[in-house]
DNA sequence: AACAAATACAACCGCATTGGT
DNA sequence: CACCAATGCGGTTGTATTTGT
């Protein structure tokens, strides 16, 4: 298999691990001054011993000024659960419907908190209910196969998402950050109504 | 107080996709 | 059309912090 992970194969060794406050400051200052561009250039020009990929991740998940931070509100939590039941593990798409939240954040939240909670409630109510939220998505119904491993999730995406998108385009018209959550709910309502069995 | 286990979160890795040449 | 570099995504791992004993 071709190794195209060029960031990791650079001739000069790149730093790994946690970001120091100094590195954060360098990246932040550079982004504020120059805006987003080619990440490998940003890494170089900001004077960071990091690969572009690492800079991108740090910016998106931590430094971006529009990040919300802090604990998820009950409303957000509800929204995540609902969106996950529709979209499955498409964290970036779920994040797009939650203003100020990142895919990584939501993924972590799901894996550490919600998943566990759902598992507990499932085991307390039904012994055969083994994490259905992860592997029985709406698309299983739409596509008809019912199979839903993570890889197949990606492969099947092109098969069913376009149908859903055509009928329920995202984002809805006149979207603003303050109305995102509200419109997320109406989007959910329309999709679940249309595609529930 | 010391240690282990559990938890939460940050970051990395591999792969797919995209766009330029 | 083939190739390559850059980017984006989701899974996984690593690490700091918190909680329990």
């Amino acid at each position: 298999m071709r190794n195209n992970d060029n960031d990791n194969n650079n001739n000069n060794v790149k730093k790994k691990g946690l970001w120091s406050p100094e590195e954060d400051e360098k990246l932040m200052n550079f982004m504020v001054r120059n805006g987003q561009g080619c990440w490998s250039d940003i890494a170089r020009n900001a004077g960071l011993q990091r690969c572009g990929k690492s800079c991108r991740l740090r910016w998106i998940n931590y430094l971006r000024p529009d990040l919300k931070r802090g604990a998820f509100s009950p409303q957000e939590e509800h929204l995540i659960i609902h969106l996950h039941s529709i979209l499955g593990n498409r964290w970036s798409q779920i994040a797009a419907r939650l203003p100020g939240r990142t895919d990584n954040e939501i993924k972590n939240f799901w894996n550490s908190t919600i998943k566990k909670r759902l598992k507990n409630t499932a085991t307390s109510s039904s012994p055969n209910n083994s994490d259905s939220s992860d592997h029985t998505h709406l698309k299983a119904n739409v596509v008809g196969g019912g199979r839903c491993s993570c890889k197949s999730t990606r492969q099947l995406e092109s098969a069913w998402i376009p149908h859903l998108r055509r009928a329920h385009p995202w984002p809805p018209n006149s979207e603003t950050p303050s109305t995102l959550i509200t419109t997320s709910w109406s989007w959910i309502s329309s999709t679940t109504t249309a595609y529930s069995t």
Side-chain angles (χ1 to χ4, degrees):
Chain A
M1 191 167 286
R2 185 165 65 91
N3 185 351
N4 61 356
D5 206 6
N6 36 56
D7 273 336
N8 297 326
N9 291 331
N10 264 343
N11 33 12
N12 48 346
V13 178
K14 297 292 183 185
K15 190 170 176 245
K16 286 187 182 181
L18 295 178
W19 280 64
S20 68
E22 290 77 22
E23 289 177 305
D24 280 345
E25 198 183 342
K26 277 185 184 176
L27 181 57
M28 180 66 111
N29 286 339
F30 188 88
M31 292 300 290
V32 167
R33 274 201 306 270
N34 304 286
Q36 203 164 313
C38 173
W39 285 108
S40 45
D41 290 344
I42 289 170
R44 207 176 314 117
N45 297 333
L48 291 160
Q49 302 300 311
R50 296 275 181 173
C51 64
K53 213 170 178 177
S54 181
C55 292
R56 175 186 161 270
L57 208 67
R58 186 63 177 171
W59 174 256
I60 290 172
N61 288 334
Y62 193 80
L63 296 174
R64 236 172 51 194
D66 59 324
L67 287 179
K68 191 179 267 183
R69 318 248 187 172
F72 285 88
S73 68
Q75 194 186 18
E76 286 176 311
E77 196 178 317
H78 248 100
L79 188 52
I80 290 168
I81 293 169
H82 261 85
L83 286 167
H84 187 271
S85 71
I86 296 166
L87 298 167
N89 293 2
R90 279 189 210 78
W91 307 114
S92 62
Q93 292 191 30
I94 294 173
R97 289 152 177 79
L98 280 141
R101 301 296 188 181
T102 70
D103 53 353
N104 208 33
E105 196 177 11
I106 293 167
K107 179 172 60 183
N108 282 332
F109 181 61
W110 180 270
N111 287 330
S112 65
T113 308
I114 299 182
K115 206 171 177 178
K116 203 172 303 158
R117 198 179 306 159
L118 290 177
K119 198 173 184 177
N120 286 340
T121 55
T123 47
S124 63
S125 60
S126 160
N128 288 333
N129 210 347
S130 59
D131 202 7
S132 63
S133 61
D134 249 9
H135 297 289
T136 309
H137 305 144
L138 175 64
K139 74 175 171 308
N141 295 331
V142 174
V143 173
R147 188 166 148 266
C148 189
S149 73
C150 298
K151 284 290 179 194
S152 62
T153 292
R154 267 154 96 155
Q155 286 162 359
L156 288 171
E157 180 172 278
S158 58
W160 74 280
I161 281 284
H163 295 293
L164 201 146
R165 281 274 164 67
R166 268 194 294 278
H168 307 277
W170 183 268
N173 294 334
S174 67
E175 199 54 61
T176 64
S178 61
T179 60
L180 257 176
I181 289 186
T182 310
T183 47
S184 289
W185 279 113
S186 51
W187 185 82
I188 286 168
S189 304
S190 63
T191 52
T192 48
T193 302
Y195 290 98
S196 60
T197 48

Tab-separated table of all heavy atoms in Angstrom, chain A residues 21-48:
chain	number	residue	atom	x	y	z
A	21	PRO	N	2.619	25.872	25.695
A	21	PRO	CA	2.004	27.197	25.550
A	21	PRO	C	2.732	28.054	24.517
A	21	PRO	O	2.091	28.832	23.799
A	21	PRO	CB	2.149	27.800	26.953
A	21	PRO	CG	2.230	26.637	27.869
A	21	PRO	CD	2.943	25.550	27.102
A	22	GLU	N	4.039	27.906	24.421
A	22	GLU	CA	4.820	28.685	23.443
A	22	GLU	C	4.432	28.305	22.017
A	22	GLU	O	4.270	29.169	21.156
A	22	GLU	CB	6.319	28.455	23.650
A	22	GLU	CG	6.884	29.069	24.913
A	22	GLU	CD	6.543	28.249	26.157
A	22	GLU	OE1	6.251	27.033	26.023
A	22	GLU	OE2	6.543	28.813	27.266
A	23	GLU	N	4.277	27.014	21.795
A	23	GLU	CA	3.877	26.549	20.460
A	23	GLU	C	2.478	27.055	20.117
A	23	GLU	O	2.231	27.506	18.991
A	23	GLU	CB	3.918	25.021	20.397
A	23	GLU	CG	5.305	24.434	20.402
A	23	GLU	CD	5.254	22.914	20.401
A	23	GLU	OE1	4.608	22.353	21.306
A	23	GLU	OE2	5.854	22.295	19.520
A	24	ASP	N	1.607	26.974	21.102
A	24	ASP	CA	0.240	27.471	20.898
A	24	ASP	C	0.265	28.944	20.496
A	24	ASP	O	-0.432	29.362	19.573
A	24	ASP	CB	-0.584	27.307	22.182
A	24	ASP	CG	-1.101	25.885	22.360
A	24	ASP	OD1	-1.072	25.126	21.382
A	24	ASP	OD2	-1.514	25.553	23.478
A	25	GLU	N	1.076	29.682	21.198
A	25	GLU	CA	1.152	31.120	20.948
A	25	GLU	C	1.673	31.398	19.541
A	25	GLU	O	1.144	32.246	18.827
A	25	GLU	CB	2.042	31.776	21.992
A	25	GLU	CG	1.846	33.277	22.084
A	25	GLU	CD	2.811	33.915	23.089
A	25	GLU	OE1	3.356	33.182	23.935
A	25	GLU	OE2	3.016	35.144	23.004
A	26	LYS	N	2.706	30.658	19.154
A	26	LYS	CA	3.260	30.828	17.807
A	26	LYS	C	2.206	30.564	16.740
A	26	LYS	O	2.038	31.342	15.808
A	26	LYS	CB	4.439	29.865	17.603
A	26	LYS	CG	5.757	30.351	18.154
A	26	LYS	CD	6.854	29.366	17.787
A	26	LYS	CE	8.193	29.777	18.404
A	26	LYS	NZ	9.256	28.767	18.122
A	27	LEU	N	1.506	29.457	16.915
A	27	LEU	CA	0.501	29.099	15.917
A	27	LEU	C	-0.647	30.102	15.917
A	27	LEU	O	-1.088	30.555	14.857
A	27	LEU	CB	-0.019	27.685	16.181
A	27	LEU	CG	-1.069	27.165	15.200
A	27	LEU	CD1	-0.557	27.197	13.764
A	27	LEU	CD2	-1.505	25.739	15.565
A	28	MET	N	-1.102	30.442	17.092
A	28	MET	CA	-2.191	31.400	17.223
A	28	MET	C	-1.827	32.727	16.563
A	28	MET	O	-2.594	33.268	15.757
A	28	MET	CB	-2.516	31.597	18.708
A	28	MET	CG	-3.637	32.575	18.973
A	28	MET	SD	-5.209	31.981	18.342
A	28	MET	CE	-6.074	31.663	19.843
A	29	ASN	N	-0.660	33.246	16.902
A	29	ASN	CA	-0.227	34.525	16.333
A	29	ASN	C	-0.142	34.463	14.814
A	29	ASN	O	-0.582	35.383	14.118
A	29	ASN	CB	1.144	34.923	16.903
A	29	ASN	CG	1.040	35.394	18.333
A	29	ASN	OD1	-0.030	35.803	18.793
A	29	ASN	ND2	2.127	35.306	19.074
A	30	PHE	N	0.407	33.362	14.337
A	30	PHE	CA	0.548	33.232	12.889
A	30	PHE	C	-0.815	33.182	12.213
A	30	PHE	O	-1.035	33.831	11.184
A	30	PHE	CB	1.351	31.975	12.543
A	30	PHE	CG	1.699	31.883	11.086
A	30	PHE	CD1	2.868	32.465	10.598
A	30	PHE	CD2	0.851	31.246	10.200
A	30	PHE	CE1	3.180	32.391	9.250
A	30	PHE	CE2	1.156	31.173	8.849
A	30	PHE	CZ	2.335	31.749	8.374
A	31	MET	N	-1.735	32.445	12.803
A	31	MET	CA	-3.060	32.314	12.196
A	31	MET	C	-3.812	33.642	12.230
A	31	MET	O	-4.511	33.986	11.277
A	31	MET	CB	-3.866	31.239	12.930
A	31	MET	CG	-3.336	29.838	12.750
A	31	MET	SD	-3.292	29.290	11.049
A	31	MET	CE	-5.035	29.105	10.704
A	32	VAL	N	-3.666	34.360	13.317
A	32	VAL	CA	-4.350	35.651	13.436
A	32	VAL	C	-3.805	36.627	12.389
A	32	VAL	O	-4.556	37.367	11.760
A	32	VAL	CB	-4.168	36.224	14.862
A	32	VAL	CG1	-4.579	37.679	14.918
A	32	VAL	CG2	-4.999	35.415	15.849
A	33	ARG	N	-2.497	36.586	12.204
A	33	ARG	CA	-1.870	37.520	11.254
A	33	ARG	C	-2.111	37.132	9.800
A	33	ARG	O	-2.368	37.963	8.955
A	33	ARG	CB	-0.362	37.589	11.523
A	33	ARG	CG	0.029	38.588	12.586
A	33	ARG	CD	1.492	38.974	12.424
A	33	ARG	NE	2.366	37.814	12.394
A	33	ARG	CZ	2.926	37.262	13.474
A	33	ARG	NH1	2.689	37.755	14.656
A	33	ARG	NH2	3.708	36.206	13.369
A	34	ASN	N	-2.014	35.840	9.526
A	34	ASN	CA	-1.996	35.405	8.127
A	34	ASN	C	-3.223	34.618	7.671
A	34	ASN	O	-3.398	34.402	6.479
A	34	ASN	CB	-0.748	34.562	7.864
A	34	ASN	CG	0.515	35.303	8.214
A	34	ASN	OD1	0.946	36.208	7.502
A	34	ASN	ND2	1.114	34.962	9.342
A	35	GLY	N	-4.002	34.159	8.625
A	35	GLY	CA	-5.170	33.366	8.247
A	35	GLY	C	-4.781	31.982	7.785
A	35	GLY	O	-3.606	31.635	7.750
A	36	GLN	N	-5.818	31.219	7.432
A	36	GLN	CA	-5.576	29.835	7.061
A	36	GLN	C	-4.994	29.708	5.671
A	36	GLN	O	-5.338	30.465	4.774
A	36	GLN	CB	-6.891	29.044	7.153
A	36	GLN	CG	-6.696	27.561	7.327
A	36	GLN	CD	-7.969	26.896	7.798
A	36	GLN	OE1	-8.627	27.354	8.712
A	36	GLN	NE2	-8.318	25.792	7.167
A	37	GLY	N	-4.078	28.775	5.506
A	37	GLY	CA	-3.495	28.519	4.199
A	37	GLY	C	-3.024	27.095	4.111
A	37	GLY	O	-3.665	26.213	4.671
A	38	CYS	N	-1.911	26.890	3.414
A	38	CYS	CA	-1.342	25.549	3.325
A	38	CYS	C	-0.715	25.194	4.668
A	38	CYS	O	0.177	25.890	5.152
A	38	CYS	CB	-0.303	25.501	2.221
A	38	CYS	SG	0.597	23.948	2.151
A	39	TRP	N	-1.170	24.103	5.267
A	39	TRP	CA	-0.761	23.785	6.634
A	39	TRP	C	0.724	23.482	6.766
A	39	TRP	O	1.334	23.812	7.785
A	39	TRP	CB	-1.599	22.639	7.192
A	39	TRP	CG	-2.977	23.098	7.566
A	39	TRP	CD1	-4.139	22.812	6.911
A	39	TRP	CD2	-3.334	23.956	8.651
A	39	TRP	NE1	-5.192	23.427	7.533
A	39	TRP	CE2	-4.731	24.125	8.608
A	39	TRP	CE3	-2.621	24.590	9.671
A	39	TRP	CZ2	-5.422	24.911	9.529
A	39	TRP	CZ3	-3.306	25.374	10.591
A	39	TRP	CH2	-4.682	25.522	10.510
A	40	SER	N	1.287	22.864	5.780
A	40	SER	CA	2.722	22.582	5.878
A	40	SER	C	3.524	23.883	5.805
A	40	SER	O	4.566	24.014	6.455
A	40	SER	CB	3.156	21.606	4.799
A	40	SER	OG	2.609	21.974	3.574
A	41	ASP	N	3.017	24.851	5.041
A	41	ASP	CA	3.659	26.178	5.006
A	41	ASP	C	3.498	26.892	6.345
A	41	ASP	O	4.428	27.531	6.841
A	41	ASP	CB	3.048	27.048	3.900
A	41	ASP	CG	3.435	26.555	2.516
A	41	ASP	OD1	4.403	25.754	2.434
A	41	ASP	OD2	2.764	26.934	1.552
A	42	ILE	N	2.303	26.767	6.899
A	42	ILE	CA	2.034	27.408	8.190
A	42	ILE	C	2.989	26.867	9.246
A	42	ILE	O	3.598	27.622	10.007
A	42	ILE	CB	0.565	27.175	8.619
A	42	ILE	CG1	-0.372	27.998	7.727
A	42	ILE	CG2	0.354	27.538	10.083
A	42	ILE	CD1	-1.830	27.673	7.887
A	43	ALA	N	3.120	25.534	9.260
A	43	ALA	CA	4.018	24.910	10.238
A	43	ALA	C	5.428	25.477	10.086
A	43	ALA	O	6.089	25.801	11.079
A	43	ALA	CB	4.019	23.402	10.041
A	44	ARG	N	5.868	25.614	8.856
A	44	ARG	CA	7.228	26.090	8.581
A	44	ARG	C	7.358	27.574	8.929
A	44	ARG	O	8.248	27.981	9.671
A	44	ARG	CB	7.566	25.862	7.113
A	44	ARG	CG	9.043	25.699	6.839
A	44	ARG	CD	9.289	25.371	5.367
A	44	ARG	NE	8.390	24.337	4.834
A	44	ARG	CZ	7.507	24.530	3.851
A	44	ARG	NH1	7.397	25.704	3.282
A	44	ARG	NH2	6.750	23.544	3.434
A	45	ASN	N	6.428	28.356	8.417
A	45	ASN	CA	6.543	29.810	8.555
A	45	ASN	C	6.272	30.320	9.983
A	45	ASN	O	6.717	31.399	10.345
A	45	ASN	CB	5.599	30.508	7.570
A	45	ASN	CG	5.970	30.204	6.141
A	45	ASN	OD1	7.137	29.923	5.837
A	45	ASN	ND2	4.997	30.219	5.245
A	46	ALA	N	5.522	29.532	10.733
A	46	ALA	CA	5.259	29.956	12.111
A	46	ALA	C	6.409	29.586	13.031
A	46	ALA	O	6.374	29.896	14.220
A	46	ALA	CB	3.957	29.320	12.605
A	47	GLY	N	7.402	28.914	12.479
A	47	GLY	CA	8.567	28.543	13.276
A	47	GLY	C	8.306	27.392	14.219
A	47	GLY	O	8.872	27.313	15.307
A	48	LEU	N	7.429	26.472	13.759
A	48	LEU	CA	7.076	25.334	14.608
A	48	LEU	C	7.741	24.055	14.102
A	48	LEU	O	7.807	23.826	12.898
A	48	LEU	CB	5.559	25.148	14.607
A	48	LEU	CG	4.761	26.238	15.325
A	48	LEU	CD1	3.314	26.229	14.848
A	48	LEU	CD2	4.825	26.038	16.824
